[in-house]
Amino acid sequence: MKRVRHKPWADDYIKEHSNIVVSNPSENKGNWSDIFKNEAPIHLEIGSGKGQFVAGMAQQFPDVNFVGVEVVKSVIVTTIDKVRESERENIRLLNENAEDLDEIFASGEISAIYLNFSDPWPKNRHEKRRLTYKSFLEKYKKILKDDGKIILKTDNRGLFEYSLASFSQFGLIIEEVSLDLHALDDPTNVQTEYEEKFSKKGQPIYRCIARVN
């Protein structure tokens, strides 16, 4: 994996754009509709990377509010720029860790969670770091509405198979399993930077949609 170049100015840049990156987000727990000034559904992307997906989704679905979570400061600054370019008001970003989501959002506050090209952590000893490990699923279930969905996209077959098993064991309902997402020609699919890169190399993109029971 390519190492992200450190940007010493990232902290200041994040603070300068507090209208986009929500500081002290736990203070808004249960009141995220106030942040967006509407009652539209809130969708969450965990690991928003450089922001192509969350900005594209906000453009395509103006009646949905989107929150992008990215823990790496040197990456989220690029996401800020994407959000600024989009001129969309239905996006906010969080420079936070996914482990803290249930401290930031109240029960049933989120309608959908996107996991796009998450780190597969292939070694067995790192299983607990995978974003589809049961401890993460417990947090997702806390903040998702009844019938809320988790949408996973990855190029990694091992992570995909692991996640399907993890979802099933956790009691989620599997609504879709696609072994070649782009063959579906889904017009609603917004590609991430990684997705474009991998698909150009001919690698299949896997997608799974799971629903809270």
Side-chain angles (χ1 to χ4, degrees), residues 7 23 47 53 57 62 65-67 72 76 87-88 123 127 132 138-139 148 163 165 168 183 191 205 208 211:
K7 298 184 173 88
S23 57
F53 178 84
M57 290 292 283
N65 296 321
F66 291 90
V67 178
V72 182
I76 202 172
E87 299 183 341
R88 298 299 314 171
K123 295 180 180 178
E127 180 188 8
T132 52
E138 286 168 0
K139 293 178 186 293
S163 300
S168 297
Q191 294 192 46
I205 304 300
C208 171
R211 177 166 55 86

Side-chain angles (χ1 to χ4, degrees), residues 72-114:
V72 182
K73 287 183 170 66
S74 294
V75 174
I76 202 172
V77 292
T78 304
T79 318
I80 293 171
D81 290 338
K82 283 280 198 328
V83 174
R84 293 177 67 196
E85 290 167 13
S86 75
E87 299 183 341
R88 298 299 314 171
E89 296 293 330
N90 58 330
I91 315 175
R92 294 295 185 277
L93 303 177
L94 302 180
N95 183 216
E96 302 290 336
N97 195 303
E99 293 179 353
D100 301 323
L101 289 176
D102 55 344
E103 299 298 324
I104 295 171
F105 299 100
S107 175
E109 201 163 20
I110 301 299
S111 295
I113 292 174
Y114 301 94

Side-chain angles (χ1 to χ4, degrees), residues 1-208:
M1 183 177 290
K2 186 177 179 180
R3 186 174 180 181
V4 176
R5 183 177 297 174
H6 176 65
K7 298 184 173 88
W9 45 268
D11 277 313
D12 290 337
Y13 197 70
I14 291 168
K15 289 174 184 175
E16 286 169 15
H17 295 91
S18 57
N19 61 316
I20 297 173
V21 184
V22 181
S23 57
N24 303 314
S26 59
E27 294 176 1
N28 300 300
K29 184 176 181 178
N31 298 298
W32 279 88
S33 58
D34 294 342
I35 294 290
F36 289 103
K37 299 181 174 60
N38 61 57
E39 297 295 328
I42 300 173
H43 289 193
L44 187 67
E45 184 190 15
I46 301 175
S48 53
K50 295 181 179 179
Q52 181 168 299
F53 178 84
V54 72
M57 290 292 283
Q59 190 78 38
Q60 186 170 170
F61 301 100
D63 296 328
V64 175
N65 296 321
F66 291 90
V67 178
V69 181
E70 177 55 58
V71 71
V72 182
K73 287 183 170 66
S74 294
V75 174
I76 202 172
V77 292
T78 304
T79 318
I80 293 171
D81 290 338
K82 283 280 198 328
V83 174
R84 293 177 67 196
E85 290 167 13
S86 75
E87 299 183 341
R88 298 299 314 171
E89 296 293 330
N90 58 330
I91 315 175
R92 294 295 185 277
L93 303 177
L94 302 180
N95 183 216
E96 302 290 336
N97 195 303
E99 293 179 353
D100 301 323
L101 289 176
D102 55 344
E103 299 298 324
I104 295 171
F105 299 100
S107 175
E109 201 163 20
I110 301 299
S111 295
I113 292 174
Y114 301 94
L115 304 173
N116 292 322
F117 300 88
S118 308
D119 192 329
W121 294 107
K123 295 180 180 178
N124 289 337
R125 69 174 184 272
H126 292 151
E127 180 188 8
K128 292 182 179 180
R129 297 185 185 182
R130 297 172 194 159
L131 290 180
T132 52
Y133 182 67
K134 61 184 179 182
S135 61
F136 283 106
L137 297 183
E138 286 168 0
K139 293 178 186 293
Y140 305 156
K141 188 172 183 179
K142 282 182 184 178
I143 65 176
L144 280 168
K145 294 180 179 297
D146 292 339
D147 291 334
K149 295 182 179 182
I150 300 172
I151 301 99
L152 168 76
K153 287 199 292 186
T154 182
D155 67 306
N156 188 287
R157 184 68 177 252
L159 177 63
F160 190 67
E161 292 175 350
Y162 171 86
S163 300
L164 286 174
S166 184
F167 290 159
S168 297
Q169 290 164 8
F170 193 75
L172 301 179
I173 297 171
I174 307 295
E175 291 194 340
E176 178 196 288
V177 175
S178 174
L179 301 180
D180 189 355
L181 172 59
H182 292 181
L184 297 178
D185 199 24
D186 181 354
T188 67
N189 181 51
V190 173
Q191 294 192 46
T192 74
E193 292 89 350
Y194 278 122
E195 187 171 351
E196 286 184 349
K197 176 183 175 182
F198 295 139
S199 62
K200 283 177 181 176
K201 292 181 178 180
Q203 294 176 238
I205 304 300
Y206 309 112
R207 184 172 72 180
C208 171

